[in-house]
Amino acid sequence: MINTFIGNLGHFMTILVFASALTTAYAYIQYYRANELEKVSWKRFSRISFASHGVSTMMIVISLFEIIYNHHRFEYFYAYSHSTKCCRICS
């Protein structure tokens, strides 16, 4: 269970990053098209969605770092092909 949690978290964050990027782009387009009364709400919504995009991106970076560097989780092909335990000793 714990071995797949970090991979599932990274997968979920990848989906969330894609969805939040589309949402942020749409929100900023609507912000520039909106009249003066609606601009405040579109601006707030677009900034919140951009912040969620940034947090999700950082969570992907953290999960990749956790898989590759910290624990060498070789059950993931990406970690298996980009990491070895010998690198720190031999280099």
Side-chain angles (χ1 to χ4, degrees):
M1 173 78 179
I2 195 70
N3 287 338
T4 60
F5 173 74
I6 196 73
N8 291 337
L9 179 68
H11 185 259
F12 176 72
M13 288 298 142
T14 303
I15 294 169
L16 189 62
V17 161
F18 181 71
S20 65
L22 293 177
T23 305
T24 302
Y26 177 75
Y28 275 116
I29 289 170
Q30 291 301 317
Y31 167 75
Y32 285 111
R33 289 184 180 174
N35 59 23
E36 292 301 317
L37 294 175
E38 296 174 338
K39 277 194 184 263
V40 174
S41 62
W42 279 112
K43 186 177 185 180
R44 182 176 48 238
F45 177 69
S46 59
R47 286 186 175 178
I48 290 170
S49 62
F50 182 74
S52 70
H53 179 75
V55 168
S56 301
T57 303
M58 289 308 298
M59 289 300 293
I60 290 172
V61 169
I62 289 169
S63 66
L64 278 174
F65 183 77
E66 181 72 19
I67 287 171
I68 294 173
Y69 188 73
N70 282 344
H71 293 289
H72 296 288
R73 298 187 188 270
F74 293 126
E75 62 264 19
Y76 298 106
F77 180 74
Y78 187 85
Y80 176 76
S81 61
H82 291 88
S83 172
T84 63
K85 289 188 179 215
C86 180
C87 286
R88 290 188 211 136
I89 300 167
C90 297
S91 297

